[in-house]
């Protein structure tokens, strides 16, 4: 990187800005990260550096040259290959950096940093800055001022006035951390944050032991099962098993989309691999097992074999994350989910850091999804609380960690789980107690069932370690049964695992409940969903002291909140019923219209036969209630699906291919048992209504004997 006399540029910048200096002392500007309104102390990692190459076509050749010249101790790719990180001997670090900055094809060379508040967490710099100015600064002045520093304006930040993302050019006078601190010395700059990369930390704790039942959905008691430690899924399913129109995005490491429980007609929506930049988020590495298990808990299809998710009828949007939590990765993740129509976004991961607040861009990306997504109703965003048995925001006097990774008074901060638009999920056990590992605090919204086990977390250069002091002894509670990768790869040698757990399991359970809620009432806002979940949760209590820290936070305060369980363990039935009831309470009926079609129609049917069996409504009015009765005989109803088509050509699926070997169907479909019918609310009833009965295999035959409509206006 060319050397520019900093004092001269600084003087010109100050003269153009014409503002009073403030913010970080210039002498400390290289070791303070401003993020989320805080000033975080940094240390330079003494043996790591990163390079960003200008021309990827020369990457292999250049890397070979540098390896021959530097003899690095290790090399790794960072941030989807945007950076190459070298570990070198301490005494050669600065020489290597100086050499790299003279190479024409190296766009950017930087130290690697470590947060003082989060030891062993490496921060990698990308050449981007997010800057928010006061509204009175002209855009021309912004470009002139930032241009003097070697910054180029790339784009504005949606939803944030006078906020832009800048590219740090090769002519920049300083690295992004120093540039951000330089900008923050001026009163007309409200935010200036560099884009930093931190590794993600998966939050699961798989075991080998298998259990033969999904106790978290429903159980009748038994060994290690407390009364009502499940979520009452069976009663919720009497209202709805989920609608394909409700899309649940699972953001994780990868997904075995060949698994039979993750397949079905219309099941998959908008798959995306952000790591490899394609539409196939399939596992490529042996360790990429987590996403398959998480997705199974939320939306595993009802197939008659294997497992079933909380919301088997909902659609799945599998999004493979980049593995890093820089600003662009988070924006890509949430923006993709919103653009592709996700209603729910479930995140069972967190930074591999003790203390890490969200950047402005990361907070904005989540806020946009939670307020602008789903046509303005907001996507429901969920995060798992974490598995370290630590506060989401608070101090702990640390001791007893392996190798003294942490020691002394330590401040903890989980930025994603503390975002005000997020539903943060803690973990309870099959005995209705706190999972020993579950993080806690006032930002926990609800708890959900999971396994039990020792607290742990992942840290770079250390790996997965148990938090201190180490907890010994047994951990009562059953594991979670869910999908596993097919074949021999995965947590087990079968296509299923019964040892899944962590708050990674609890989060998709709640995501599935939210999917059922929105299937019952698609008009709910994201804020409505959070409030209903909290209001209908079961107030489980745990009077025991935490075996690691000796704390007792298992009771509820006068606001009905527990630090361990939030507002309680999620109850699917109560939440779905409350959602449906809210949807129906505003209806006003002034008239009822009934019509019957007695035309017998052979299945499979021709288009003309379907038209002939239709029902014409001559009255006019807006629909407030609907009942659809069908009488069908068929030699194998599992091949058949049924949809009602309104005069406006709106099609609503009444019956999927879930009837198995049944041969006769006499059923009335209503708002209560088929919430998707609510999509017809307030539409005109005048015109031709049709019943579309589809035989998907045509290997069996049947007849539609009769169907009828009862409409309330």
């Amino acid at each position: 990187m060319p050397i520019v006399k900093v004092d001269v540029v600084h003087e010109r910048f100050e003269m153009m800005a014409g503002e009073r200096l403030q913010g970080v002392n210039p002498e400390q500007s290289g070791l303070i990260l401003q993020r989320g309104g805080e000033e975080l102390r940094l240390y330079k990692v003494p043996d790591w550096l990163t390079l960003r190459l200008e021309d990827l076509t020369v990457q292999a050749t250049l890397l070979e040259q540098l390896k021959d010249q530097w003899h690095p101790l290790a090399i790794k790719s960072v941030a989807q290959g945007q950076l190459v990180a070298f570990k070198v001997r301490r005494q050669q670090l600065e020489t290597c950096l100086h050499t790299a900055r003279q190479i024409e094809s190296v766009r950017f060379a930087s130290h690697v940093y470590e947060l003082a508040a989060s030891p062993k967490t490496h921060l990698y710099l990308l050449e981007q800055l997010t800057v928010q100015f006061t509204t009175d600064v002209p855009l021309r002045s912004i470009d002139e001022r930032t241009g003097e520093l070697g910054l180029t304006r790339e784009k504005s930040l949606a939803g944030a006035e006078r906020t832009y993302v800048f590219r740090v050019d090769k002519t920049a006078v300083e690295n992004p951390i120093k540039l951000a601190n330089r900008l923050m010395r001026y009163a007309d700059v409200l935010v200036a944050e560099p884009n930093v990369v931190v590794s993600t930390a998966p939050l699961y704790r798989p075991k080998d032991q298998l259990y033969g039942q999904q106790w978290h959905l429903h159980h009748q008691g038994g060994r290690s099962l407390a009364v009502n430690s499940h979520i009452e899924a069976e009663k919720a399913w009497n209202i709805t098993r989920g609608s394909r129109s409700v899309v649940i995005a699972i953001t994780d490491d990868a997904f075995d989309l060949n698994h039979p429980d993750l397949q079905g007609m219309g099941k998959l929506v908008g798959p995306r691999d952000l790591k490899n930049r394609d539409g196939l988020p399939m596992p490529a590495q042996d360790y990429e097992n987590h996403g398959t298990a998480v997705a199974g808990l939320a939306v595993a299809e009802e197939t008659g074999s294997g497992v079933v998710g909380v919301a088997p009828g909902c659609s799945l949007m599998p999004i493979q994350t980049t593995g890093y939590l820089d600003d662009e990765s988070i924006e890509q993740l949430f923006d993709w989910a919103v653009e592709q129509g996700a209603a729910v976004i479930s995140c069972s991961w967190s930074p591999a850091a003790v203390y890490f607040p969200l950047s402005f861009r990361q907070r904005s990306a989540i806020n946009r999804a939670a307020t602008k997504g789903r046509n303005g109703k907001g996507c429901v965003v969920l995060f798992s609380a974490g598995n370290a048995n630590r506060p989401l925001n608070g101090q702990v006097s640390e001791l007893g960690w392996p190798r003294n990774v942490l020691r002394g008074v330590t401040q903890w901060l989980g930025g994603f789980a503390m975002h005000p638009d997020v539903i943060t999920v803690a973990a309870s056990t099959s005995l209705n107690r706190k999972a020993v590992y579950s993080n806690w605090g006032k930002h926990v919204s609800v708890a959900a069932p999971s396994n039990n086990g020792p607290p742990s977390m992942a840290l770079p250069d250390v790996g997965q370690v148990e938090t201190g002091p180490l907890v010994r002894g047994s951990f009562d509670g059953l594991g979670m049964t869910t999908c596993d990768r097919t074949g021999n790869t995965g947590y087990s040698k079968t296509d299923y695992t019964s040892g899944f757990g962590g708050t990674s399991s609890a989060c998709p359970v709640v995501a599935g409940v939210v999917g059922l809620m929105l299937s019952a009432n698609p008009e709910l806002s994201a804020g409505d969903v959070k409030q209903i979940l909290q209001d209908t949760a079961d107030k489980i209590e745990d009077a025991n002291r935490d075996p690691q820290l000796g704390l007792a936070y298992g009771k509820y305060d006068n606001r009905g909140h527990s630090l361990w369980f939030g507002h309680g363990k999620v109850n699917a039935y109560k939440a779905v019923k409350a959602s449906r009831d809210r949807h129906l309470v505003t209806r006003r009926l002034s008239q009822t219209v009934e019509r019957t079609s007695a035309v017998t129609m052979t299945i499979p049917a021709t288009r003309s036969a379907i038209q002939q069996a239709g029902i014409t409504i001559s009255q006019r009015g807006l629909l407030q209630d609907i009942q659809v009765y069908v009488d069908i005989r068929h030699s194998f109803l599992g091949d058949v699906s049924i949809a009602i088509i309104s005069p406006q050509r709106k099609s609503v699926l009444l019956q999927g291919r879930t009837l198995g070997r049944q041969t006769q169907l006499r059923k009335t479909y209503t708002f209560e048992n088929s919430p998707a019918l609510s999509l017809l609310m307030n539409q005109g009833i005048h015109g031709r209504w049709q019943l579309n009965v589809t035989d998907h295999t045509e290997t069996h035959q049947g007849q539609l004997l009769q169907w009828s409509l009862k409409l309330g206006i």
Side-chain angles (χ1 to χ4, degrees), residues 10 13 19-29 34 174 178 180-189:
H10 179 219
F13 183 81
E19 299 287 353
R20 177 176 57 86
L21 287 175
Q22 55 186 15
V24 176
N25 187 315
E27 295 179 358
Q28 297 180 307
S29 64
Q34 299 205 48
E174 294 171 312
K178 292 181 178 179
N181 288 328
R182 179 183 294 280
L183 286 163
M184 282 298 291
R185 293 177 203 148
Y186 297 86
D188 58 2
V189 175

Side-chain angles (χ1 to χ4, degrees), residues 309-340:
V310 177
C314 289
S315 299
L316 166 65
M317 182 185 294
I319 303 177
Q320 184 172 355
T321 61
T322 64
Y324 295 96
L325 300 181
D326 56 286
D327 294 351
E328 287 195 324
S329 292
I330 297 302
E331 284 180 337
Q332 290 171 12
L333 186 157
F334 284 98
D335 289 349
W336 176 266
V338 171
E339 291 165 5
Q340 299 300 311

Side-chain angles (χ1 to χ4, degrees), residues 314-536:
C314 289
S315 299
L316 166 65
M317 182 185 294
I319 303 177
Q320 184 172 355
T321 61
T322 64
Y324 295 96
L325 300 181
D326 56 286
D327 294 351
E328 287 195 324
S329 292
I330 297 302
E331 284 180 337
Q332 290 171 12
L333 186 157
F334 284 98
D335 289 349
W336 176 266
V338 171
E339 291 165 5
Q340 299 300 311
V344 186
I345 305 174
S346 180
C347 307
S348 289
W349 42 264
S350 70
V354 171
Y355 187 94
F356 202 72
L358 300 187
S359 71
F360 186 91
R361 284 173 71 182
Q362 291 170 349
R363 295 196 311 273
S364 296
I366 295 173
N367 177 257
R368 283 198 306 276
T371 57
K372 308 299 183 185
R374 210 162 49 95
N375 296 320
K377 300 183 189 73
C379 299
V380 181
V381 181
L382 303 103
F383 270 88
S384 48
N387 299 338
N389 187 33
R390 290 301 185 272
L392 295 173
N393 184 13
Q395 287 186 346
V396 173
S397 181
E398 300 294 354
L399 55 91
W401 284 62
R403 291 173 282 173
N404 285 325
V405 171
L406 291 181
R407 188 172 182 84
V409 176
T410 301
Q411 180 73 32
W412 289 80
L413 182 72
F416 288 102
M418 290 174 55
H419 193 291
D421 294 321
V422 161
I423 295 172
T424 301
V425 185
S428 59
T429 70
S430 61
L431 294 170
N432 263 347
R433 297 173 186 159
K434 175 186 180 289
V436 173
Y437 54 74
S438 186
N439 285 355
W440 42 270
K442 66 179 182 179
H443 293 90
V444 172
S445 299
V446 291
S450 190
N451 72 337
N452 202 0
S456 70
M457 70 176 298
L459 289 171
D461 287 354
V462 177
Q464 192 84 13
V465 295
E466 294 187 17
T467 62
L470 301 183
V471 182
R472 298 304 182 209
S474 62
F475 298 93
D476 296 332
L478 302 180
M480 302 284 278
T481 301
T482 182
C483 300
D484 196 10
R485 285 173 63 179
T486 53
N488 292 328
T489 306
Y491 297 128
S492 73
K493 298 300 182 182
T494 70
D495 298 348
Y496 302 93
T497 176
S498 295
F500 198 59
T503 54
S504 280
S505 291
C507 186
V509 167
V510 181
V513 174
V514 173
L516 297 180
M517 294 169 67
L518 293 178
S519 298
N521 184 352
E523 299 304 314
L524 292 173
S525 69
D528 293 336
V529 169
K530 186 174 185 178
Q531 192 62 54
I532 291 172
L533 275 174
Q534 294 177 168
D535 290 345
T536 58

Side-chain angles (χ1 to χ4, degrees), residues 588-592 622 624 712-713:
R588 298 290 185 270
L589 302 183
S590 60
Q591 183 182 354
T592 300
L622 299 181
Q624 299 298 304
I713 57 175

Side-chain angles (χ1 to χ4, degrees), residues 579-625:
S579 301
R580 181 199 64 186
D581 292 348
R582 181 178 294 195
H583 194 43
L584 301 179
V585 73
T586 59
R587 293 183 302 162
R588 298 290 185 270
L589 302 183
S590 60
Q591 183 182 354
T592 300
V593 179
E594 295 187 55
R595 295 289 185 274
T596 298
S597 171
V599 176
T600 299
M601 184 176 72
T602 301
I603 306 170
T606 63
R607 180 175 298 181
S608 60
I610 293 174
Q611 180 66 30
Q612 186 181 2
I615 293 175
T616 299
I617 304 296
S618 58
Q619 288 88 342
R620 297 183 182 275
L622 299 181
L623 188 140
Q624 299 298 304
D625 192 19

Side-chain angles (χ1 to χ4, degrees), residues 237 241-242 248 267 297-301 309-315 511-513 515-516:
W237 289 338
R241 296 201 175 196
I248 299 178
K267 187 71 172 181
L297 287 167
V299 296
E301 191 80 348
V310 177
C314 289
S315 299
V513 174
L516 297 180

Side-chain angles (χ1 to χ4, degrees), residues 39-312:
E39 295 183 359
L40 306 178
R41 178 73 180 177
L42 299 176
Y43 298 113
K44 291 179 179 177
V45 177
D47 51 2
W48 280 97
L49 66 113
T50 59
L51 306 182
R52 177 72 176 264
L53 302 185
E54 190 79 49
D55 185 354
L56 295 180
T57 62
V58 302
Q59 177 169 308
T61 302
L62 177 59
L63 293 183
E64 286 301 320
Q65 293 174 354
L66 292 178
K67 283 196 291 185
D68 291 341
Q69 183 178 348
W70 293 349
H71 303 291
L73 304 176
I75 302 177
K76 64 181 179 180
S77 174
V78 176
Q80 296 179 270
Q82 295 182 75
L83 302 174
V84 180
F86 289 82
K87 184 176 184 180
V88 298
R89 292 172 179 80
R90 296 187 177 204
Q91 61 269 25
Q92 66 178 129
L93 178 67
E94 296 301 328
T95 301
C96 292
L97 273 170
H98 178 75
T99 300
R101 287 167 178 164
Q102 310 309 312
I103 300 173
E104 185 176 355
S105 58
V106 173
R107 184 196 299 180
F108 182 73
S110 172
H111 289 92
V112 175
Y113 294 86
E114 186 176 88
L115 279 171
S118 186
K120 304 300 180 181
T121 295
H122 287 182
L123 302 183
Y124 306 96
L125 287 181
L126 293 175
E127 66 275 34
Q128 279 187 330
L129 287 177
T130 302
V131 188
Q132 184 178 43
F133 297 86
T134 57
T135 56
D136 57 347
V137 183
L139 189 57
R140 186 181 67 177
S141 298
I142 290 174
D143 288 342
E144 290 177 352
R145 179 189 304 185
T146 53
E148 289 291 332
L149 295 180
L151 301 176
T152 299
R153 180 165 52 89
E154 285 195 326
K155 63 179 180 179
S156 59
L157 193 63
E161 193 172 4
R162 271 293 186 266
T163 308
Y164 307 96
V165 177
F166 291 88
R167 173 73 58 186
V168 181
D169 297 332
K170 196 166 183 177
T171 59
V173 298
E174 294 171 312
N175 74 30
I177 292 175
K178 292 181 178 179
L179 288 171
N181 288 328
R182 179 183 294 280
L183 286 163
M184 282 298 291
R185 293 177 203 148
Y186 297 86
D188 58 2
V189 175
L190 304 177
V191 172
E193 294 180 344
N195 185 4
V196 298
V197 181
V198 61
S199 301
T200 55
L203 298 178
Y204 62 95
R205 292 197 52 77
K207 296 179 180 179
D208 291 333
Q209 187 178 6
L210 300 178
Y211 298 93
Q213 58 179 343
Q214 293 177 276
W215 60 268
H216 62 284
L217 298 173
H218 185 81
H219 66 74
Q220 300 291 340
R223 183 181 65 85
S224 296
L225 289 169
V227 175
N228 294 327
S229 60
H230 56 82
I231 64 169
E232 287 206 86
E234 289 187 1
K235 291 177 69 175
W237 289 338
N238 287 333
I239 299 174
T240 177
R241 296 201 175 196
S243 169
R244 281 290 196 261
S245 62
V246 176
V247 181
I248 299 178
I250 304 294
T251 68
D252 220 290
D253 59 1
F255 306 85
D256 185 352
L257 300 181
N258 293 320
H259 197 291
D261 285 348
L262 299 183
Q263 298 180 348
M265 185 175 296
K267 187 71 172 181
L268 205 61
V269 175
R272 187 63 180 165
D273 181 349
L274 297 176
K275 186 175 185 179
N276 298 301
R277 301 181 181 90
D278 59 34
L280 293 172
M282 297 281 286
Q285 305 294 331
D286 288 346
Y287 56 80
E288 291 177 332
N289 309 313
H290 192 249
T292 303
V294 170
L297 287 167
V299 296
E301 191 80 348
E302 187 177 8
T303 63
S305 62
V307 298
V308 63
V310 177

